[in-house]
C-alpha cells in the first residue's frame, strides 16, 4: 500500500494575516496612541477656544468655559458691513474661481488621460512642479502686471488669477480620477455616434462624480482660505472677502474683541463645513458605484 501525501499549498500573499488582537479583547494602548492623543489635543485646543469664546462676553486668549453664555457676540457681528457683504464677496470670488477651475481641469485632464503624445509627460511634470510652487513667490510680479494692465481691484481678474493658481493641482487630481473610468464605455458611445464632447459630458463625467466632488471641495477650501491674493489684488473695502475682513476685524479696534472674532470665525467657516457635509455623502456612494462598474 502506497501512501501519497498532498503537495504543500503555497500561502496566498493576498490573504489577510492573523488578527493582531483576539476577538473580544481590547488592545492595550501603546506609546503610539499617547502620541496621537497629544497631537489631537494640539488640534482640538484652538477649535475649543473658538467655540467657547464665541459664547463668552468677556472672552480672552484663555480656553475657559464662559461664566455666562451669551449670543451677544453673534448679534454684534451679524450685520452687512461685518459679515454679510464679506461673505457674499467670498461666495462670488471663491465660487467663481472654483467653477472656472473645475471646468478647465476637466477639459485639460481629458486629453491627458485618453491620448498619448510626446508632450504629455513633460506637461504632467510641469503640472507637478507648479503644484509645489508657493503663490507668495510670484505675487510681486503678478501685482506689477495687474498694475500695468489696470486690473487691480477687479473682481473678475482676481477670480481668474485664483482659478489659474489652483488649476495645476486640480488637473493633477482630475486626471487621476479620469484614468479610472473604463475606455470601453466611451468606445461604445462613439460607436453609437456620440461626439467627444458628448461622451465626456454624458459618459465620463457621471462616472467620475466623486472625483469632481473632491476637486471641487479642495479648490473651494484652497480659495476660501486664501488671504494673500485678495489682499494684494482687491483694494476697495466693499469688495474684500471674509478672509481679508477677518484680518481687518481684528485690527480695526485698539483692543481685539476676542469673542466677536471667534463668532465671526465660526460663521466664516460654516459654508465650507456645510459643503463638505453635503458632498461627503455623494463621495461614498460614488466610489461604490465606480468600484462596481470596474468589477
Amino acid at each position: 500500500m502506497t501512501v501519497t501525501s498532498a503537495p504543500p499549498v503555497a500561502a496566498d500573499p493576498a490573504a489577510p494575516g492573523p488578527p493582531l488582537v483576539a476577538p473580544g479583547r481590547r488592545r492595550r494602548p501603546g506609546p503610539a496612541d499617547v502620541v496621537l492623543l497629544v497631537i489631537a489635543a494640539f488640534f482640538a485646543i484652538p477649535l475649543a477656544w473658538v467655540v467657547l469664546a464665541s459664547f463668552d462676553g468677556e472672552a480672552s486668549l484663555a480656553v475657559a468655559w464662559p461664566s455666562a453664555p451669551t449670543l451677544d457676540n453673534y448679534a454684534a457681528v451679524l450685520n452687512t458691513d461685518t459679515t454679510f457683504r464679506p461673505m457674499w464677496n467670498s461666495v462670488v470670488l471663491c465660487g467663481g474661481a472654483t467653477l472656472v477651475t473645475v471646468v478647465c481641469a476637466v477639459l485639460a485632464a481629458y486629453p491627458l488621460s485618453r491620448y498619448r503624445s510626446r508632450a504629455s509627460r513633460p506637461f504632467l511634470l510641469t503640472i507637478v512642479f507648479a503644484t509645489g510652487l508657493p503663490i507668495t513667490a510670484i505675487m510681486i510680479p503678478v501685482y506689477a502686471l495687474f498694475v500695468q494692465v489696470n486690473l487691480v481691484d477687479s473682481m473678475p481678474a482676481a477670480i481668474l488669477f485664483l482659478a489659474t493658481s489652483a488649476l495645476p493641482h486640480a488637473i493633477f487630481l482630475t486626471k487621476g480620477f479620469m484614468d479610472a473610468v473604463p475606455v470601453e464605455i466611451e468606445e461604445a458611445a462613439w460607436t453609437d455616434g456620440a461626439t467627444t464632447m458628448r461622451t465626456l459630458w454624458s459618459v465620463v463625467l457621471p462616472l467620475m462624480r466623486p472625483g469632481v466632488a473632491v476637486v471641487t471641495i479642495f479648490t473651494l477650501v484652497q480659495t476660501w482660505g486664501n488671504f494673500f491674493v485678495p489682499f494684494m489684488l482687491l483694494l476697495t473695502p466693499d469688495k474684500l472677502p471674509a478672509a481679508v475682513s477677518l484680518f481687518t476685524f481684528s485690527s480695526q479696534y485698539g483692543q481685539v474683541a476676542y469673542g466677536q472674532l471667534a463668532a465671526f470665525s465660526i460663521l466664516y467657516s460654516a459654508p465650507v463645513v456645510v459643503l463638505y457635509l453635503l458632498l461627503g455623502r455623494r463621495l461614498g456612494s460614488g466610489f461604490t458605484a465606480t468600484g462596481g462598474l470596474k468589477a
Side-chain angles (χ1 to χ4, degrees), residues 31-294:
D33 300 307
V34 177
V35 173
L36 291 176
L37 287 176
V38 172
I39 295 175
F42 277 108
F43 281 95
I45 288 176
L47 297 178
W49 178 85
V50 171
V51 174
L52 295 177
S54 66
F55 295 101
D56 192 351
E58 300 177 354
S60 63
L61 290 177
V63 181
W65 188 265
S67 56
T70 177
L71 296 176
D72 292 344
N73 294 324
Y74 290 93
V77 300
L78 284 175
N79 55 70
T80 302
D81 295 334
T82 305
T83 301
F84 297 142
R85 186 169 54 213
M87 291 290 284
W88 173 248
N89 292 335
S90 292
V91 171
V92 173
L93 181 67
C94 303
T98 301
L99 179 62
V100 174
T101 300
V102 173
V103 172
C104 294
V106 169
L107 295 178
Y110 185 72
L112 291 174
S113 175
R114 291 298 185 261
Y115 301 103
R116 298 290 180 266
S117 71
R118 294 181 180 178
S120 297
R121 182 175 175 78
F123 187 71
L124 284 175
L125 292 178
T126 304
I127 290 176
V128 173
F129 171 76
T131 57
L133 189 64
I135 196 170
T136 52
I138 61 173
M139 276 311 298
I140 299 301
V142 167
Y143 178 77
L145 177 64
F146 270 54
V147 170
Q148 289 186 355
V149 297
N150 197 23
L151 287 179
V152 174
D153 203 25
S154 171
M155 183 68 81
I159 291 174
L160 290 179
F161 180 74
L162 275 178
T164 304
S165 61
L167 194 55
H169 193 205
I171 294 176
F172 185 75
L173 289 177
T174 306
K175 181 186 177 301
F177 285 106
M178 196 171 288
D179 288 342
V181 178
V183 183
E184 292 77 7
I185 301 179
E186 294 180 63
E187 293 175 347
W190 294 337
T191 304
D192 293 336
T195 61
T196 303
M197 291 301 297
R198 182 68 178 177
T199 304
L200 175 62
W201 177 259
S202 302
V203 177
V204 178
L205 285 181
L207 293 177
M208 56 173 295
R209 284 176 182 171
V212 176
V214 169
V215 174
T216 302
I217 290 176
F218 271 91
T219 305
L220 183 63
V221 171
Q222 180 182 354
T223 55
W224 190 267
N226 195 313
F227 165 80
F228 201 49
V229 171
F231 180 74
M232 293 281 291
L233 302 182
L234 298 176
L235 303 178
T236 305
D238 292 343
K239 296 181 180 179
L240 293 179
V244 182
S245 178
L246 186 66
F247 167 75
T248 58
F249 178 84
S250 62
S251 61
Q252 64 182 341
Y253 304 105
Q255 183 178 3
V256 178
Y258 292 108
Q260 298 179 14
L261 181 62
F264 183 81
S265 299
I266 290 181
L267 296 174
Y268 168 63
S269 306
V272 177
V273 176
V274 171
L275 178 66
Y276 180 81
L277 294 177
L278 292 177
L279 295 182
R281 295 182 178 180
R282 294 181 178 272
L283 293 182
S285 59
F287 276 124
T288 304
T290 305
L293 178 64
K294 292 176 66 177

